[in-house]
Amino acid sequence: MGTPSFPAKRLPVAALLPLKRLRAQLAPTVADGLLSLGLLALIAWAAVQLGGWAIGRADWAVLQLNSMLLLVGRYPLAEQWRLWLLGALLAAQAGLSWGLLRAWPRADRREQGQLWPRHDRIAAVLITLLALLLPAALGLAGALQGRWWLLAAVLLALRWAAGRWGPGLHRRTLKLLGLLWPLLYLLGFWLIGGGLGLAAVAPGEWGGLLLTLVMASFAMALSFPLGVLLALGRRSNLPLLRWGSVAYIEFIRGAPLITLLFIGQNILGFLLPASISPDRVWRAAWVLTLFAAAYLAEAVRSGLAAVPRGQLEAARSLGLNQAQALVTVVIPQALRVALPTMVGQFIALVQDTTLLSLIGLLDLLGMARGIMANPEFLGHSSELYLVLAVLYWSCCAALGLGSRALERRLDPRSLAGRP
Amino acid sequence: MIRAEGVEKWYPNGFHALRGASLTVNRGEVVVIMGPSGSGKSTFIRTFNALEDFQKGSITVDGLALSNDVRQIDAIRREVGMVFQQFNLFPHLSVLENLTLAPVLVRKRPRAEVELQAMALLERVGIAEQAEKFPGQLSGGQQQRVAIARALCMEPRILLFDEPTSSLDPEMVREVLDVIQALAAEAITMVVVTHEVRFARQVAHRVVLMDEGVVVEQADPESFFTAPRHERTQRFLEQIL
Ligand SMILES: Nc1ncnc2c1ncn2[C@@H]1O[C@H](COP(=O)(O)OP(=O)(O)OP(=O)(O)O)[C@@H](O)[C@H]1O
Ligand SMILES: [Mg+2]
């Protein structure tokens, strides 16, 4: 395709008319053109096959009947309003962050200051279509369909409002808005688990996508500080701390997650008396956390190595002590460097949660396998697996998109026109 | 203000970088250190604020003896500002935040007050209009002026400069030297490592030659440049003049 090897010979692609632009991108030479055509044909063939199957032969009843099971497992019906509330709050927060990140002046001049840049328009249309069509296609009850529409509406409304008024906000206010995420996180665990005035819902009753997301976000949030501490420990001057960190990181990285999960489930159960050994779900959550921390530590370590020595020296020569210099000067820069790798680890973590189904937890995959084992739905695994693929892909894609927006926001060169 | 006596330093790889260097800097004095590359100039002034340790000899800064006591070292660093060859501004903070970070965090001063002072300092080094920009958006000369303002914002009693103009394009050297010269006129104690002869002649009260880890000669600029006593100084001056 458009290889950048001879850029001087061609006009900038953007300067051409649409049709010519397409030709310049897809078929700058005859060989490139044939390759493009071949690929297009392949994609079209695959799309037709899949579409034909999805509309014709596939039987989506298995989803209609099990949609709540896949989403939240055996979460008590009477308490499900809490999850919808949490969903609405999450949608609001996501819309807010999206709008604020996008409204920010960027190095990318073309999109600067636009309320709805092109990619955002596409994303908004996709979200609207998904919210309208998917529940309808699944034949959900009217009330349930309405709730999905509401979530999408909240998301887009806040995206619009934040994009519209965000740029006028003071920087301090924006920093405070960042604190909403951890707050919402704690609120989320309260809404899901109950207690403090809400009826308790034991972890054993969480399931499906809910369990997958709870496990992944719990492990992400806790493995992050742990990973930073381990990375610092690995660079420490104290031999004991350094060796301890190295031993831990290398041990975890050398063991497959599934063995660690089994160790967590079985051996911990023998070692600890039942009264203090945590619930099966929590045991698995901690194993995931400790596992992810070792990998994050390596990502953070590479970030720390990328921060020039002079930064620490400058901070120390201003009178900051070691801890202050690390927290305000070194770690922020290291994290910015490590961000893409860390998000890669988080995405891997989401996928690793599927192993939970092997130790008998009913996460999204475990729940789907349970449904497939039901004789009533025999022979419908393709439909289920397709939906699983789409769901896992959406979670990972959302992480990737969010991190790229954050990366641009944190790139100092992109802050040119800041108020 | 600074009294270094017989300082000896070995780097961890065994290299003997300082071999008994001695120097006294008085209050309000501007001392310029010159010398060939690798003679230990950077190592020497970096011992003054404990960025480098040393194994023999003694250093007293502002009445406090440099030792391994961490608190003592932090106390000395608060009073000694340093400007580096590579600027070492914090790229993730705006120019204004670069200045206010340490006074707010270390001296626990109210942010609003520090911001006023920081703006006044930026005004003085001629870049007040860049306060909200980020270091990466400034020219080298502007960055070094921000670095000087950042050091000043801690209100240090002593300023150390390690080749402040060596990584600047020639046309920016002047603007930075002008700022340092203006500071010298305010009787701030300064130790400046530099190869700028004109600057040394105009600003220094005393010029020092270092070679192979020791202070070889010190004299007022006039006699240093026109009537050097030591043969090594003469050879060095022949090379740079
Ligand atoms: N971290 C280190 N480990 C080992 N040797 C070092 C280290 N830093 C510097 N040196 C050596 O110590 C000697 C003195 O270095 P220093 O940087 O103080 O010289 P300088 O006079 O500042 O030179 P320049 O004019 O090039 O900056 C040099 O020979 C250098 O190679
Ligand atoms: Mg040097």
Side-chain angles (χ1 to χ4, degrees):
Chain A
M1 318 278 133
T3 50
S5 31
F6 308 106
K9 282 191 184 170
R10 278 183 231 134
L11 279 169
V13 168
L16 302 174
L17 292 171
L19 205 65
K20 283 194 177 165
R21 195 192 306 173
L22 202 64
R23 231 203 90 188
Q25 277 172 345
L26 293 182
T29 69
V30 176
D32 285 344
L34 287 177
L35 198 60
S36 297
L37 268 183
L39 278 175
L40 281 177
L42 201 67
I43 293 171
W45 178 81
V48 167
Q49 293 292 315
L50 193 65
W53 172 78
I55 296 169
R57 272 167 294 142
D59 180 3
W60 297 103
V62 58
L63 278 177
Q64 284 157 15
L65 295 172
N66 296 304
S67 63
M68 281 331 266
L69 218 49
L70 282 172
L71 283 180
V72 300
R74 300 188 199 292
Y75 203 89
L77 201 58
E79 302 295 333
Q80 280 181 10
W81 62 269
R82 282 150 50 172
L83 301 180
W84 286 106
L85 178 61
L86 181 60
L89 289 173
L90 277 173
Q93 175 73 6
L96 191 67
S97 306
W98 180 12
L100 289 179
L101 285 172
R102 268 317 168 94
W104 221 257
R106 296 234 314 271
D108 186 353
R109 297 267 161 209
R110 211 156 36 92
E111 295 190 343
Q112 184 160 320
Q114 275 186 41
L115 186 50
W116 290 98
R118 190 153 62 102
H119 288 110
D120 289 25
R121 286 202 300 271
I122 297 174
V125 169
L126 274 179
I127 289 173
T128 314
L129 283 179
L130 268 181
L132 289 180
L133 297 184
L134 207 60
L138 287 177
L140 297 183
L144 281 184
Q145 288 198 30
R147 287 181 202 168
W148 283 112
W149 299 344
L150 204 65
L151 290 191
V154 167
L155 177 78
L156 292 177
L158 269 136
R159 160 66 183 81
W160 174 78
R164 173 80 182 68
W165 288 293
L169 292 178
H170 195 275
R171 281 186 63 191
R172 297 251 169 75
T173 325
L174 288 169
K175 282 191 179 160
L176 284 182
L177 284 177
L179 288 180
L180 283 179
W181 274 114
L183 268 183
L184 187 59
Y185 186 80
L186 295 177
L187 189 70
F189 271 99
W190 176 56
L191 282 175
I192 294 170
L196 299 175
L198 284 179
V201 179
E205 293 177 281
W206 313 345
L209 186 61
L210 174 69
L211 184 65
T212 294
L213 292 181
V214 165
M215 296 298 255
S217 59
F218 177 85
M220 277 182 217
L222 287 179
S223 65
F224 176 66
L226 268 177
V228 173
L229 288 179
L230 277 170
L232 290 175
R234 197 164 182 166
R235 283 172 36 122
S236 160
N237 290 329
L238 306 173
L240 211 60
L241 198 59
R242 191 168 63 238
W243 294 334
S245 307
V246 171
Y248 176 81
I249 293 171
E250 295 308 332
F251 168 70
I252 297 282
R253 297 208 313 158
L257 176 56
I258 187 70
T259 48
L260 295 176
L261 282 171
F262 275 118
I263 291 176
Q265 291 301 309
N266 303 324
I267 301 183
L268 278 188
F270 294 132
L271 290 183
L272 301 173
S275 55
I276 66 161
S277 101
D279 177 89
R280 266 160 44 86
V281 173
W282 285 122
R283 255 183 269 167
W286 276 108
V287 171
L288 271 182
T289 305
L290 296 173
F291 177 79
Y295 284 84
L296 277 186
E298 285 301 284
V300 175
R301 184 170 75 118
S302 65
L304 286 173
V307 178
R309 251 191 88 73
Q311 290 291 313
L312 185 64
E313 287 179 352
R316 297 305 304 271
S317 75
L318 283 167
L320 275 68
N321 62 34
Q322 182 80 12
Q324 289 171 327
L326 282 176
V327 169
T328 59
V329 173
V330 177
I331 293 180
Q333 295 184 57
L335 290 184
R336 193 168 69 206
V337 175
L339 184 66
T341 325
M342 288 195 306
V343 173
Q345 308 287 7
F346 284 149
I347 288 175
L349 181 64
V350 170
Q351 296 170 357
D352 284 343
T353 58
T354 50
L355 290 177
L356 296 176
S357 66
L358 294 187
I359 56 167
L361 295 189
L362 293 175
D363 73 318
L364 187 50
L365 182 64
M367 196 54 92
R369 283 156 52 109
I371 295 169
M372 287 171 214
N374 184 339
E376 198 183 330
F377 303 117
L378 221 54
H380 291 303
S381 40
S382 308
E383 289 86 342
L384 275 169
Y385 277 128
L386 184 69
V387 170
L388 286 196
V390 169
L391 282 176
Y392 280 115
W393 180 83
S394 313
C395 295
C396 296
L399 272 175
L401 284 174
S403 93
R404 241 169 292 152
L406 201 62
E407 248 170 82
R408 279 192 299 260
R409 161 77 178 76
L410 291 176
D411 181 356
R413 274 167 312 167
S414 73
L415 303 166
R418 244 158 91 142
Chain B
M1 279 304 247
I2 302 176
R3 178 185 295 273
E5 271 167 13
V7 178
E8 300 207 33
K9 170 169 179 88
W10 283 264
Y11 274 108
N13 65 0
F15 184 80
H16 197 177
L18 297 179
R19 304 164 179 242
S22 302
L23 181 69
T24 305
V25 181
N26 300 314
R27 190 178 297 273
E29 200 180 17
V30 178
V31 173
V32 164
I33 300 182
M34 303 187 108
S37 181
S39 56
K41 306 180 298 292
S42 300
T43 311
F44 195 34
I45 72 165
R46 284 158 61 89
T47 56
F48 297 168
N49 66 348
L51 283 184
E52 302 285 356
D53 59 357
F54 54 95
Q55 283 74 36
K56 279 193 189 158
S58 70
I59 300 180
T60 331
V61 177
D62 202 16
L64 294 171
L66 269 181
S67 61
N68 289 332
D69 181 357
V70 176
R71 283 169 187 231
Q72 188 104 321
I73 289 177
D74 281 343
I76 288 177
R77 282 183 178 147
R78 283 197 289 274
E79 307 307 330
V80 181
M82 184 151 196
V83 175
F84 300 83
Q85 180 175 351
Q86 301 297 341
F87 327 138
N88 293 350
L89 293 179
F90 306 133
H92 60 303
L93 301 178
S94 72
V95 165
L96 189 63
E97 288 165 338
N98 263 276
L99 266 67
T100 56
L101 177 72
V104 171
L105 212 59
V106 178
R107 294 220 192 271
K108 315 271 183 241
R109 291 171 50 195
R111 178 178 296 276
E113 177 198 311
V114 178
E115 277 181 1
L116 280 182
Q117 185 201 4
M119 285 311 295
L121 280 170
L122 288 174
E123 191 85 53
R124 214 164 102 194
V125 299
I127 33 179
E129 70 282 4
Q130 320 276 16
E132 293 296 334
K133 286 201 181 168
F134 283 74
Q137 302 168 311
L138 305 183
S139 75
Q142 291 172 326
Q143 291 195 44
Q144 194 60 298
R145 284 185 281 153
V146 172
I148 295 172
R150 177 175 73 177
L152 287 174
C153 211
M154 277 296 282
E155 299 174 336
R157 294 164 190 233
I158 303 169
L159 265 181
L160 308 174
F161 293 85
D162 188 4
E163 307 205 24
T165 56
S166 293
S167 53
L168 293 178
D169 292 337
E171 70 269 22
M172 295 171 185
V173 169
R174 198 66 244 165
E175 64 188 50
V176 171
L177 290 182
D178 284 345
V179 167
I180 302 177
Q181 188 159 4
L183 289 175
E186 295 176 27
I188 298 180
T189 311
M190 297 200 285
V191 181
V192 187
V193 176
T194 182
H195 296 299
E196 298 287 333
V197 174
R198 192 152 67 104
F199 172 82
R201 276 175 177 264
Q202 288 173 352
V203 181
H205 298 128
R206 195 144 46 99
V207 184
V208 171
L209 185 92
M210 273 193 82
D211 197 12
E212 297 186 343
V214 289
V215 171
V216 175
E217 171 159 3
Q218 31 183 323
D220 61 281
E222 204 44 43
S223 15
F224 184 91
F225 289 110
T226 53
R229 273 169 292 149
H230 283 264
E231 181 252 326
R232 275 197 265 181
T233 319
Q234 289 162 8
R235 249 190 295 141
F236 174 71
L237 289 177
E238 271 165 29
Q239 276 167 10
I240 63 163
L241 286 176

